[in-house]
């Protein structure tokens, strides 16, 4: 009798465990089915997981690795306290950091979201108070006729025009491998606009960022790199189509696509802008001369943006090596209120370059264009050498 009772208990335990296993397997299949058949908007994507974990303290991951492999524990900072799981879970669940007011107020206070931005690589002096500002003035203000003045060019400014290319340097021949254009082609500079003090009104149909594009192309040509500047008036396209200033990248997109389609030699593309920020943040004195600082902007809302980011990172560090302080850094932009792509999905070698700001003088910008061409040419020819050797 006792043995029969014991046997029944064992059988019941087997049935119970089997039932748990079967229910677990069925639940797993149901969960997989839900995840694979749900609409994309409701699926848990790798991007979602990345956003959940990107702001977590890196010491948490190091600590978790140390639990599995004690070798990692040796790298854990001695003065670092062991992270609390509850704090990490709270951050993942709410996206709020108790010690960072930006996480709580960034989306609540008007204009405060700017300080919730992320600077991937900060150049000298770059912080949340002097990040690039992309103004969006009414198109009618951009198209207004304004007086502009151009100082007589110095001998230094004319130097690149007189420089020859046949000085023994390698050249791309008749291939135009760099394409330069301006989505905001009428962005101008306050020192050249008498009586204008409002950055949103710093626009002119002739004295504008396109002159910097021309200078960069001439400097690249002097370094043996064929370059072409697109002179399309994007602002006129906006006006003809009845679009607003915020649709500038949409208007320039067709122009860029046509350029890539008609010129297969293009390997790099630069969309030149000038920042709307005022003050000394956009100027750097190097060897006693003022240069307009350069910020590299990356649209982080297309799937291959990391390739553009890799190019931007290399260019930043090369600028830092040769002209310390000239680069303001690399700034990925995404989220509400920004374009987030900037046509960089058309090419992994397309960059947006903020050349100086509204307070910079063209002569300062020309120096920066020359410096950028010099540094880029070294990068370009080094890459060509590697490709030819391989």
């Amino acid at each position: 009798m006792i043995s029969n009772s014991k046997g029944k208990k064992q059988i019941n335990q087997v049935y119970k465990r089997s039932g748990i296993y079967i229910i677990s397997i069925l639940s797993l299949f149901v969960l997989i089915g839900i995840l694979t058949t749900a609409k994309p908007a409701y699926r848990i994507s790798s991007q979602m997981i990345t956003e959940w974990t990107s702001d977590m303290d890196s010491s948490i991951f190091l600590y978790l690795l140390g639990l599995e492999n004690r070798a990692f524990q040796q790298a854990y900072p001695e003065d670092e306290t062991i992270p609390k799981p509850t704090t990490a879970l709270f951050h993942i669940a709410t996206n709020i950091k108790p010690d960072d007011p930006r996480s709580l107020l960034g989306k609540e206070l008007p204009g405060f979201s700017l300080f919730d931005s992320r600077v991937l690589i900060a150049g000298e002096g770059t912080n949340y108070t002097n990040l690039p500002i992309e103004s969006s003035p009414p198109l009618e203000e951009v198209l207004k006729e304004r007086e502009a003045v151009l100082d007589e060019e110095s001998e230094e400014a004319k130097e690149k025009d007189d420089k020859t290319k046949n000085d023994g340097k390698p050249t791309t021949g008749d291939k135009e491998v760099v394409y330069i254009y301006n989505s905001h082609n009428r962005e101008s500079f306050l020192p050249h606009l008498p009586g204008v003090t409002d950055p949103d009104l710093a626009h002119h149909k002739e004295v504008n960022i396109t002159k910097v594009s021309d200078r960069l192309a001439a400097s690249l040509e002097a370094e043996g790199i064929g370059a072409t500047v697109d002179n399309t008036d994007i602002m006129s396209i906006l006006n003809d189509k009845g679009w607003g200033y915020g649709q500038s990248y949409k208007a320039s997109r067709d122009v860029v696509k046509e350029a890539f389609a008609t010129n297969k030699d293009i390997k790099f593309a630069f969309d030149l802008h000038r920042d709307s920020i005022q003050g000394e943040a956009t100027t750097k004195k190097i060897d006693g001369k003022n240069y307009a600082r350069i910020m590299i902007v990356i649209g982080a809302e297309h799937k291959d943006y990391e390739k553009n980011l890799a190019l931007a990172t290399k260019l930043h560090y090369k600028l830092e090596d040769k002209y310390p302080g000239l680069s303001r850094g690399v700034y990925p932009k995404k989220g509400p209120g920004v374009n987030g792509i900037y046509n960089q999905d058309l090419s992994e070698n397309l960059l947006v370059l903020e050349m100086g700001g509204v307070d910079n003088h063209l002569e300062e910008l020309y120096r920066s264009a020359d410096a950028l061409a010099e540094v880029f040419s070294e990068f370009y020819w080094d890459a060509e050498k590697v490709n030819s050797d391989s």
Side-chain angles (χ1 to χ4, degrees):
M1 188 75 178
I2 295 175
S3 60
N4 288 339
S5 177
K6 186 176 181 180
K8 287 182 180 179
K9 285 184 178 179
Q10 290 177 342
I11 292 173
N12 288 336
Q13 286 179 353
V14 171
Y15 283 147
K16 187 180 292 185
R17 289 175 181 174
S18 300
I20 293 173
Y21 291 148
I22 292 172
I23 292 173
S24 299
I25 292 173
L26 290 175
S27 300
L28 181 61
F29 275 101
V30 170
L31 179 61
I32 293 173
I34 292 173
L35 292 176
T36 55
T37 58
K39 293 182 179 180
Y42 300 108
R43 294 179 189 171
I44 298 177
S45 63
S46 59
Q47 181 179 359
M48 186 182 298
I49 295 173
T50 300
E51 290 178 355
W52 280 348
T53 59
S54 61
D55 289 331
M56 291 177 61
D57 192 329
S58 58
S59 63
I60 294 175
F61 300 105
L62 184 60
Y63 176 73
L64 293 175
L65 288 171
L67 295 177
E68 295 295 325
N69 187 334
R70 292 187 178 181
F72 287 100
Q73 293 181 358
Q74 298 178 3
Y76 199 83
E78 294 182 0
D79 58 344
E80 189 79 29
T81 57
I82 297 175
K84 295 181 180 179
T86 52
T87 302
L89 289 173
F90 177 77
H91 180 214
I92 293 174
T94 64
N95 203 29
I96 294 175
K97 291 182 179 180
D99 59 346
D100 187 354
R102 294 179 302 154
S103 62
L104 179 62
L105 302 174
K107 296 180 177 60
E108 303 300 327
L109 299 179
F112 202 83
S113 59
L114 173 65
F115 299 97
D116 198 34
S117 302
R118 180 177 301 155
V119 183
L120 184 66
I121 302 176
E124 178 185 309
T126 299
N127 55 52
Y128 290 109
T129 66
N130 55 27
L131 293 179
I133 297 176
E134 187 172 351
S135 61
S136 185
L139 186 59
E140 56 268 23
E141 292 293 339
V142 177
L143 296 173
K144 273 186 179 179
E145 294 287 337
R146 291 184 176 87
E147 180 186 357
V149 294
L150 278 177
D151 299 337
E152 186 177 350
E153 288 187 321
S154 65
E155 290 303 316
E156 179 186 22
K158 296 177 182 178
E159 184 179 337
K160 284 293 176 183
D161 296 331
D162 299 331
K163 187 174 181 179
T164 59
K165 293 186 296 181
N166 56 357
D167 54 1
K169 291 183 179 180
T171 72
T172 59
D174 58 355
K175 294 181 179 180
E176 295 174 334
V177 298
V178 177
Y179 174 72
I180 305 170
Y181 68 104
N182 307 97
S183 291
H184 294 157
N185 64 289
R186 296 200 182 193
E187 288 181 327
S188 189
F189 308 92
L190 294 177
H192 298 280
L193 301 174
V196 179
T197 58
D198 185 348
D200 284 343
L201 304 183
H203 297 270
H204 195 271
K205 65 178 181 180
E206 294 177 358
V207 181
N208 51 47
I209 190 64
T210 62
K211 287 190 171 294
V212 185
S213 295
D214 291 336
R215 178 61 174 229
L216 177 59
S219 299
L220 288 170
E221 293 279 357
E223 299 290 345
I225 299 176
T228 182
V229 178
D230 189 286
N231 294 314
T232 303
D233 186 357
I234 301 299
M235 298 301 104
S236 291
I237 293 178
L238 294 178
N239 190 46
D240 293 342
K241 293 189 175 185
W243 292 353
Y245 189 78
Q247 294 174 289
S248 299
Y249 293 101
K250 181 180 178 181
S252 65
R253 187 176 183 85
D254 289 338
V255 175
V256 178
K257 289 173 69 174
E258 183 179 356
F260 284 145
T262 56
N263 183 359
K264 300 299 182 182
D265 293 327
I266 296 175
K267 295 182 179 180
F268 296 88
F270 299 137
D271 184 3
L272 266 59
H273 295 251
R274 66 101 176 97
D275 202 342
S276 294
I277 193 171
Q278 289 189 270
E280 298 179 354
T282 61
T283 306
K284 174 66 178 178
K285 182 165 287 189
I286 302 175
D287 294 333
K289 297 178 180 178
N290 284 337
Y291 286 72
R293 301 185 70 192
I294 303 169
M295 174 70 87
I296 309 174
V297 177
I298 297 296
E301 290 187 14
H302 67 96
K303 62 179 183 178
D304 293 325
Y305 84 94
E306 290 183 353
K307 295 179 180 178
N308 304 80
L309 190 57
L311 172 61
T313 302
K314 291 176 183 177
L315 193 56
H316 163 78
Y317 284 115
K318 283 189 172 291
L319 283 168
E320 277 295 282
D321 183 56
K322 197 130 191 177
Y323 293 91
L326 181 59
S327 174
R328 293 172 61 199
V330 180
Y331 182 32
K333 296 184 72 173
K334 64 177 182 178
V338 301
N339 181 275
I341 297 178
Y342 305 107
N343 295 326
Q344 291 172 349
D345 59 326
L346 299 177
S347 170
E348 64 187 53
N349 290 330
L350 194 159
L351 299 178
V352 171
L353 303 177
E354 295 277 359
M355 304 289 292
V358 288
D359 287 332
N360 283 110
H361 192 282
L362 276 173
E363 190 165 313
E364 298 167 343
L365 289 147
Y366 289 162
R367 290 192 191 110
S368 299
D370 295 347
L372 176 61
E374 178 187 349
V375 170
F376 176 78
S377 68
E378 292 181 4
F379 165 80
Y380 180 85
W381 292 121
D382 286 345
E384 287 293 297
K385 183 179 180 180
V386 171
N387 291 335
S388 62
D389 290 343
S390 59

